[in-house]
């Protein structure tokens, strides 16, 4: 019945793929930083890089099959291009700003008090949360949300285990 | 003669296996071969939700058994099938699903007698409750089996009130196989239930009488406890289960089975059309199969179905050979004008047939809308399983809220973990061993993390502040997340029983520790209490979960 594959079997392969890519990216990031005690600015920069690396590796691990992964890859690509151009022009663009702005929009939406019979508020919120959700039908959106949740959970697990391993 | 004849004729039309004329065998013959049904039903496994599959499923047994070979074909036979049809002996009939072999022609004499009842029945029992006009054969060949039972079930659901008369017969024919009887009885749709026609029909043949009784009994049981106590336990449970199945599949399968059953004696192709969701409900505006449609619709309209049951077992989404669940546009049956063209669909039809519910608009738009809603609700159910702590939540809005919160919390966790990784990153030198080790960690962390998380979800939510791109040292961003992460760390450490951590480069202030402490105390009774003192002092105790800052 269930068209969705079991999370275990799927998660393991996605998990492994994500883990490999993420670790590779982390290596690159780690090699860039200086070994001396990093300044807060360096740390925040690295944090952003790590976040981007996590998103990118997850999206690439999923592949272009999913709308949200495609959207995320396109977003990252365009963002990196914009960053390149911006840096060339001398502006330092913060890739995390988009997310921040999105969060603000979400908060504003929550303050509406209109009767919410069909859950339209939540649906709009969900559209903003899930990458690429703006242009999807509700049933596809829910599908994508389920997959996105699964991948996010995998991401969290992998990252946490990396952190644990590194800290141990 | 009539009923048995018809049965025989029908059997003749089926594969030769069906031709099993053992009059005396009747009871034993009707043992349901669940394997057959299951096998055949599994042949056509739709991708859709089982709910939708049910609709076709109910008709499946008839097809698989080959007796009444519905055109529904071997759709997946969901809940009700294996339960209900114990008594039916599918083996007697072609095990392979045969196309409905409606007898081509009902002998004139027979028709005259059965016409009034049969035509009505045909409208109801499209699915293949066809009584072949086989003269001189006993009733045992009655190919009722599943299709009959289903139809009887449906039938009974539709005309709950009419079973009173029929129940009277129940006691008399205890030994008679209800399925068998029911099948034949079903063929007289509305009238049968009213008891009049059946009686008249029954009067003619004692066998029919049994059948009617059986059918009535089945109907009675299906109606939810009219208590055909006369029937054997197997029958009862079969019918009860059927009724359950009917109720369960109420939305889906229902009438389609009935439809096209009896009436289309002339048309073997009806079996094919049986796939179509031709509801027995007369009121349903959906059309039957082409053949018996004219007659059926007349009679169907004449019947008064109990609204509750009928309403329940209304919409039916059938999956033909190629399920195409996403093709809303493919719903041909929804169109009011196309009813007659549905018939004789090949098994490999790609359309999803939707039948309008009783009392609902039959506009194609509303039908498509309904299918879409069902899809959405199905996905919401799946999401409910995915998001922890949502099993008790009902309602779309609340569920969506939970989902949104969960997604937000996951995203914030990722942010927080990336922060942590950035903090510890320069110390690390990733290598292959790390990968392998991480895989091991992952395997262990999986269940524990989930458990920890689910326990604290309600706690976590209020703690999650809006996430911002954090600077690590200044005011702690996402304190809530840190609490979450800490909890999960604790959980994971619980599983590992790591002896403790060397403090990483101390960057996170103690405020987090307080937060964590609160959260942890709330959630984790099992975990060792984390105190900021412990963390600060760095005194690690084995078995205690240390929050890594």
């Amino acid at each position: 019945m269930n068209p969705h594959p079991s999370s275990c079997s799927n998660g393991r392969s996605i998990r492994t793929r994500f883990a490999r890519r993420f670790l590779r990216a982390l290596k690159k990031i780690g090699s860039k930083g200086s070994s001396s005690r990093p300044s807060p600015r360096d740390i925040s920069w690295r944090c952003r890089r790590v976040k981007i690396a996590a998103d990118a590796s997850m999206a690439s691990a999923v592949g272009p099959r999913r709308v949200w992964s495609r959207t995320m890859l396109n977003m990252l690509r365009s963002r990196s291009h914009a960053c390149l151009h911006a840096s060339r022009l001398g502006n330092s663009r913060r890739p995390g700003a988009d997310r921040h702005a999105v969060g603000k929009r979400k908060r504003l939406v929550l303050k509406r008090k209109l009767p919410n019979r069909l859950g339209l508020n939540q649906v709009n919120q969900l559209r903003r949360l899930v990458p690429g959700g703006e242009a999807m039908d509700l049933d596809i959106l829910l599908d994508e949300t389920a997959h996105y949740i699964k991948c996010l959970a995998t991401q969290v697990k992998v990252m946490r285990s990396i952190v644990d391993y590194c800290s141990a | 003669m009539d009923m048995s004849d018809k049965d025989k004729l029908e059997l003749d039309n089926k594969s030769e296996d069906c031709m099993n004329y053992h009059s005396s065998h009747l009871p034993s013959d009707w043992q349901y071969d669940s394997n057959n049904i299951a096998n055949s039903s599994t042949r056509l496994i739709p991708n859709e939700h089982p709910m939708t599959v049910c609709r076709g499923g109910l008709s499946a047994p008839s097809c698989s058994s080959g007796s009444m070979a519905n055109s529904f074909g071997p759709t997946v036979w969901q809940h009700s099938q294996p339960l209900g049809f114990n008594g039916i002996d599918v083996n007697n009939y072609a095990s392979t699903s045969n196309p409905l072999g409606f007898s081509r022609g009902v002998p004139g004499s027979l028709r005259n007698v059965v016409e009034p009842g049969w035509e009505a029945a045909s409208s109801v029992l499209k699915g293949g409750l066809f009584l072949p006009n086989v003269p001189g054969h006993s009733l045992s060949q009655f190919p009722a089996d599943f299709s009959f039972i289903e139809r009887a079930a449906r039938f009974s659901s539709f005309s709950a009130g009419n079973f009173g008369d029929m129940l009277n017969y129940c006691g008399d024919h205890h030994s008679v196989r209800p399925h068998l009887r029911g099948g034949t009885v079903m063929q007289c749709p509305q009238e049968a239930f009213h008891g009049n026609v059946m009686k008249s029909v029954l009067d003619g043949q004692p066998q029919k009488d049994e059948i009617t009784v059986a059918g009535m009994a089945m109907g009675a049981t299906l109606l939810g406890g009219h208590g055909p106590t006369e029937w054997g336990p197997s029958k009862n449970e079969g019918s009860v289960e059927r009724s359950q199945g009917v109720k369960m599949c109420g939305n889906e399968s229902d009438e389609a089975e009935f439809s096209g059953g009896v009436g289309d004696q002339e048309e073997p192709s009806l079996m094919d059309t049986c796939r179509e969701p031709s509801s027995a409900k007369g009121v349903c505006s959906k059309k039957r199969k082409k053949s018996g449609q004219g007659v059926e619709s007349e009679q169907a309209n004449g019947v008064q179905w109990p609204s509750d049951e009928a309403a329940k077992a209304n919409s039916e989404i059938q999956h033909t050979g190629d399920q195409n669940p996403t093709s809303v546009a493919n719903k041909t049956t929804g169109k009011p004008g196309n009813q007659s063209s549905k018939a004789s669909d090949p098994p490999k039809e790609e359309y999803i047939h939707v039948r309008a519910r009783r009392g609902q608009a039959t506009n194609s738009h509303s039908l498509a809308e309904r299918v879409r809603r069902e899809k959405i609700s199905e996905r919401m159910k799946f999401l409910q399983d995915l998001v922890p702590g949502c099993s008790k939540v009902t309602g779309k809005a609340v569920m969506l809220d939970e989902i949104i919160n969960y997604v937000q919390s996951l995203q914030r966790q990722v942010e927080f973990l990336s922060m942590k990784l950035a903090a510890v990153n320069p110390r690390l030198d990733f290598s292959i061993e790390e990968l392998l080790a991480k895989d091991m960690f992952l395997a262990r962390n999986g269940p524990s993390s989930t458990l920890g998380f689910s326990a604290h979800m309600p706690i976590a939510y209020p703690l999650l502040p809006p996430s911002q791109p954090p600077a690590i040292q200044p005011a702690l961003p996402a304190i809530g997340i840190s609490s979450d992460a800490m909890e999960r760390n604790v959980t994971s450490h619980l599983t590992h029983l790591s002896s403790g951590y060397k403090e990483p480069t101390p960057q996170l202030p103690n405020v987090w520790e307080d937060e964590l402490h609160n959260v942890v105390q709330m959630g984790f009774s099992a975990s060792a209490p984390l105190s900021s003192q412990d963390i600060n002092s760095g005194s690690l105790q084995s078995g205690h979960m240390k929050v890594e800052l």
Side-chain angles (χ1 to χ4, degrees), chain B residues 57-345:
Chain B
L58 278 172
S59 58
S62 60
C63 295
S64 57
S65 65
S67 57
M68 300 306 257
N70 286 336
S71 60
F72 294 105
T75 56
V76 176
W77 180 241
Q78 297 282 338
H79 5 279
S80 53
Q81 309 91 356
L83 311 175
F85 301 95
N86 303 328
I88 295 183
D89 184 3
V90 175
N91 290 328
N92 290 344
Y93 308 94
S95 56
T96 62
S97 65
N98 299 322
L100 287 178
F102 285 119
S103 66
R104 311 286 166 185
V106 177
S109 61
L110 180 60
R111 298 204 80 188
N112 296 338
V113 174
V114 258
E115 203 93 53
W118 291 121
E119 288 186 5
S122 66
S123 62
V124 178
L125 301 172
K126 273 213 129 136
L129 284 183
F130 177 70
L131 296 182
N133 189 14
V134 178
H137 292 283
S138 69
L139 212 50
S140 56
Q141 283 69 19
F142 204 72
D145 53 306
F146 296 105
S147 57
F148 266 68
I149 296 173
E150 291 176 1
R151 301 208 189 84
R154 304 280 163 78
F155 234 52
S156 58
S157 69
F158 295 138
S159 60
N162 296 326
F163 280 106
D165 302 352
M166 301 169 73
L167 281 176
N168 296 337
Y169 293 97
C170 292
D172 303 339
H173 306 274
H174 182 82
S175 59
V176 174
R177 284 281 167 139
H179 312 295
L180 182 58
R181 306 309 182 262
T184 52
V185 172
M186 288 306 110
Q187 306 203 355
C188 305
Q190 298 88 12
E191 268 121 337
F193 290 103
H194 292 282
N196 300 330
V197 172
M198 293 312 297
K199 283 184 188 174
S200 61
V201 173
L202 287 173
D203 291 344
Q205 297 96 16
Q207 288 168 339
K208 278 192 187 174
D209 193 3
E210 291 180 341
I211 295 173
T212 8
V213 176
M216 295 185 200
M218 276 177 34
T221 55
L222 290 170
L223 288 177
H226 289 260
T229 55
E230 301 79 7
W231 306 110
S234 66
K235 299 165 194 167
N236 282 344
E237 83 185 53
S239 50
V240 167
E241 283 161 347
R242 261 199 311 285
S243 60
Q244 289 170 359
V246 170
K247 281 170 188 156
M248 283 182 335
C249 305
N251 303 338
E252 288 104 11
S253 41
D254 56 273
E255 35 299 353
E257 285 47 302
F258 283 120
S259 64
V262 178
D264 306 323
Q265 299 147 5
E266 298 87 9
E267 303 180 43
S269 60
L270 259 190
M271 285 306 188
D272 291 340
T273 64
C274 283
R275 285 167 172 253
E276 319 265 342
S278 53
S279 64
K281 295 179 300 263
V283 184
C284 181
S285 62
K286 296 302 225 108
K287 284 307 172 272
R288 299 300 152 71
K289 320 303 173 19
K290 45 183 184 178
S291 56
Q293 276 183 0
V295 176
E296 295 168 354
S297 43
E298 295 164 9
Q299 273 113 27
N301 292 331
V303 182
Q304 296 144 10
W305 306 109
S307 57
D308 52 352
E309 294 264 12
K312 230 187 8 168
N314 292 327
S315 68
E316 177 173 330
I317 296 180
Q318 276 200 341
H319 304 274
T320 57
D322 308 337
Q323 281 90 22
N324 200 352
T326 57
S327 61
V328 170
N330 287 343
K331 292 195 222 18
T332 54
T333 59
K335 319 285 190 291
N338 301 345
Q339 269 46 9
S340 52
S341 59
K342 291 183 306 184
S344 67
D345 288 325

Side-chain angles (χ1 to χ4, degrees), chain A residues 1 27 43 107 160 166-167, chain B residues 50 428 430 466 472 488 548:
Chain A
M1 144 335 210
K27 255 192 222 178
I43 292 175
R107 285 191 294 265
R160 183 166 286 132
C166 295
S167 325
Chain B
L428 298 174
F430 295 100
I472 295 181
R488 304 201 64 137
E548 175 185 310

